[in-house]
């Protein structure tokens, strides 16, 4: 665990025994060995579904976090129990117990109410943390707690996100995983959401909890925020086309066509020696609901191929200069908006605000959402320049 991605499993073997099985990647499949054997009385894995592995100590090897419920019956107080997280450290081919890293009374945090646990270095301090999706049936407030690793223990639960049960119900979550999905260098959490229903056409979605280093923000579901007959322009390179198209269609978007933006001032990069230089980006165009007519425009033709100069730092007009690594030319966005029906333009990843500038120039209303305070201020400054 560390160099290669291996698999781990808890196994209840003989009576009163619990084993850790380590499945190690061997090139064509997996080998497995019994990496730890303990007594069930000493290793009460009460919540195997919450077990996560990550580098909690910062030593380059993944540890295993086991969630337990510890029962106490002291003579002086009534019966109560505690929620415990124990860490087993990896030694490459076996595990060693590293003691309890977290302990809290069930009255404050009960693992029975945790729907999912997801590990990731959410505060980017070099130690992996654990996010808990907490679903307390006695309240309408749902919470994502983060237990921050300090290298030898976890912090008390920190509230990183709260919402009302009626707005986003954790009960509908089917799976959750961590990763840098938006490319900002911070680990986010993607959750797979199954809308309540039993018919084959029951909608399913993927939501993203974006990390800001000390809190999560639930990015708005673009499909739900879009009116019928609305359009989605999804800008991406060729390697993501085949991956994201079926995901968008599964959410409910109807694919329309593939557009292409050519950058005449971009020399491009050959990804493998001898490949064609990569000088353009692609745009997947989707619609919501029934087909409706695109608008006519004097700004552009109806061709699906666009030639626009990519932003550069030496442009004379300040609001057109390159100030963001993924910045698009305002004029290209104006051309798209000019043929797109609807009054409100939404950009859930607005960066330095180019879409907002183009929408304003075209007389449309706009909504821009951006996690970075730095880029929010930059977008406001660019919008004020013209």
């Amino acid at each position: 665990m560390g160099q290669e991605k291996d698999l781990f499993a808890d196994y209840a073997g003989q009576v009163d025994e619990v084993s850790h099985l380590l499945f190690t990647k061997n090139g064509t499949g997996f080998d497995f060995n019994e990496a730890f054997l303990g007594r069930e009385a000493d290793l009460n894995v009460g919540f195997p579904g919450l077990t996560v592995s990550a580098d909690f100590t910062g030593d380059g090897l993944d540890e295993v976090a086991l969630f337990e419920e510890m029962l106490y019956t002291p003579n002086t107080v009534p019966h109560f129990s505690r929620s415990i997280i124990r860490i087993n450290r990896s030694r490459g081919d076996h595990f060693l117990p590293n003691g309890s890293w977290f302990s809290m009374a069930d009255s404050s945090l009960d693992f029975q109410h945790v729907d999912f646990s997801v590990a990731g270095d959410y505060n980017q301090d070099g130690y992996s943390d654990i996010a808990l999706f907490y679903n307390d049936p006695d309240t309408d407030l749902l919470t994502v707690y983060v237990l921050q690793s300090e290298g030898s223990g976890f912090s008390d639960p920190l509230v990183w996100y709260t919402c009302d049960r009626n707005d986003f119900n954790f009960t509908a979550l089917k799976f959750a995983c961590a990763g840098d999905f938006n490319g900002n260098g911070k680990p986010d959490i993607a959750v797979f959401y199954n809308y309540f229903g039993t018919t084959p056409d029951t909608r399913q979605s993927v939501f993203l909890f974006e990390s800001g280093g000390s809190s999560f923000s639930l990015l708005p579901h673009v499909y739900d925020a879009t009116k019928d007959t609305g359009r989605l322009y999804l800008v991406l390179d060729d390697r993501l086309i085949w991956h994201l198209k079926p995901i968008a269609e599964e959410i409910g978007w109807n694919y329309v066509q593939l557009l292409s933006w050519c950058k005449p001032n971009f020399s491009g990069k050959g990804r493998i020696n001898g490949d064609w230089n990569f000088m353009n980006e692609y745009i997947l165009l989707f619609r919501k609901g029934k087909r409706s007519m695109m608008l006519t425009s004097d700004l552009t033709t109806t061709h699906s191929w666009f030639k626009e100069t990519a932003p550069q730092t030496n442009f004379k007009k300040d609001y057109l200069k390159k100030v963001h690594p993924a910045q698009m030319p305002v004029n290209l966005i104006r051309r798209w908006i000019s043929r797109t029906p609807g009054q409100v333009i939404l950009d859930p990843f607005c960066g330095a605000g180019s879409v907002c500038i183009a929408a304003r120039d075209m007389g449309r209303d706009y909504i821009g959402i951006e996690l970075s305070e730095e880029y929010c201020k930059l977008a406001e400054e660019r919008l004020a320049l013209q």
Side-chain angles (χ1 to χ4, degrees):
M1 303 173 76
Q3 295 299 320
E4 294 284 348
K5 292 295 184 182
D6 306 319
L7 301 176
F8 169 87
D10 291 315
Y11 177 72
Q14 302 296 323
V15 177
D16 296 332
E17 288 185 353
V18 175
S19 298
H20 294 345
L21 303 181
L22 181 61
F23 295 80
T24 308
K25 196 172 182 180
N26 62 16
T28 59
F30 289 93
D31 298 322
F32 84 91
N33 65 290
E34 189 173 69
F36 179 80
L37 177 64
R39 296 189 309 163
E40 189 171 12
D42 299 326
L43 190 67
N44 178 23
V45 185
F47 303 92
L50 300 180
T51 301
V52 291
S53 64
D55 186 7
F56 302 115
T57 62
D59 65 354
L61 296 175
D62 286 355
E63 291 79 40
V64 176
L66 303 171
F67 290 69
E68 305 177 13
E69 183 179 46
M70 182 68 72
L71 302 178
Y72 291 97
T73 53
N75 295 327
T76 57
V77 295
H79 174 274
F80 71 100
S81 60
R82 298 186 69 83
S83 298
I84 307 288
I85 297 180
R86 298 188 187 276
I87 294 293
N88 280 12
R89 298 191 67 171
S90 172
R91 288 296 178 265
D93 59 355
H94 65 281
F95 293 96
L96 292 177
N98 195 233
S100 173
W101 276 38
F102 176 83
S103 177
M104 180 168 284
D106 280 2
S107 57
S108 300
L109 184 75
D110 190 344
F111 288 160
Q112 294 188 44
H113 303 323
V114 176
D115 287 334
F116 288 97
S117 60
V118 188
D121 185 9
Y122 302 115
N123 61 354
Q124 295 187 293
D125 63 353
Y127 303 114
S128 291
D129 315 303
I130 300 179
L132 305 176
F133 285 74
Y134 199 70
N135 190 352
D136 189 341
D138 296 329
T139 177
D140 287 332
L141 191 66
L142 305 181
T143 305
V144 178
Y145 291 111
V146 170
L147 309 181
Q148 292 185 348
S149 172
E150 298 163 355
S152 58
F154 291 114
S155 68
D156 288 339
L158 303 174
V159 177
W160 275 45
Y161 180 82
T162 58
C163 67
D164 188 272
R165 187 182 303 276
N166 294 325
D167 295 332
F168 191 82
N169 197 330
F170 289 178
T171 306
L173 301 184
K174 299 302 178 185
F175 181 71
C177 60
D180 181 14
F181 299 109
N182 57 8
N184 68 353
K186 299 176 182 177
D188 315 303
I189 299 179
V191 296
F192 293 72
Y193 195 88
N194 184 28
Y195 290 83
F196 297 100
T198 57
T199 61
D201 60 348
T202 298
R203 192 153 56 87
Q204 302 178 75
S205 301
V206 178
F207 290 90
L208 184 65
F209 286 82
E210 191 172 41
S211 172
S214 60
S215 64
F216 290 117
S217 61
L218 177 59
L219 296 181
H221 196 294
V222 176
Y223 185 87
D224 290 339
T226 304
K227 296 173 60 176
D228 282 343
T229 72
R231 302 300 198 278
L232 169 67
Y233 292 83
L234 190 58
V235 184
L236 68 178
D237 69 25
D238 60 334
R239 291 165 291 189
L240 290 174
I241 292 174
W242 324 115
H243 176 66
L244 292 181
K245 178 178 178 290
I247 292 177
E249 291 175 321
E250 181 69 23
I251 290 172
W253 290 102
N254 296 305
Y255 172 71
V256 178
Q257 65 185 126
L258 180 68
L259 310 178
S260 179
W261 164 36
C262 177
K263 311 171 191 180
N265 60 328
F266 186 63
S267 60
K269 296 179 180 179
R271 285 167 291 184
I272 301 176
N273 189 27
D275 281 1
W276 300 102
N277 282 351
F278 184 62
M279 299 178 61
N280 60 325
E281 292 189 34
Y282 295 94
I283 303 94
L284 287 171
L285 176 59
F286 298 90
R287 60 176 171 81
K288 180 178 179 180
K290 295 181 179 179
R291 183 180 296 278
S292 61
M293 293 294 294
M294 296 286 281
L295 304 177
T296 57
S297 171
D298 295 332
L299 292 182
T300 187
T301 67
T302 58
H303 299 161
S304 62
W305 185 83
F306 303 89
K307 183 179 179 181
E308 286 287 350
T309 301
Q312 297 180 174
T313 55
N314 61 350
F315 280 1
K316 292 183 178 180
K317 292 185 178 180
D318 287 340
Y319 79 98
L320 296 179
K321 287 182 178 179
K322 183 175 182 179
V323 293
H324 188 282
Q327 187 174 333
M328 298 179 62
V330 172
N331 193 53
L332 174 65
I333 305 170
R334 288 196 194 106
R335 294 169 68 180
W336 296 345
I337 293 176
S338 71
R339 297 208 60 221
T340 303
Q343 180 60 29
V344 181
I345 305 299
L346 168 65
D347 185 356
F349 307 97
C350 80
S354 295
V355 171
C356 300
I357 293 172
R360 180 205 57 193
D361 292 349
M362 299 303 299
R364 308 290 183 95
D365 299 321
Y366 58 86
I367 300 172
I369 300 173
E370 173 57 45
L371 185 65
S372 168
E373 293 185 11
E374 176 186 355
Y375 285 130
C376 280
K377 292 178 182 178
L378 186 56
E380 292 175 349
E381 292 172 0
R382 295 178 71 217
L383 282 162
L385 286 175
Q386 196 183 27

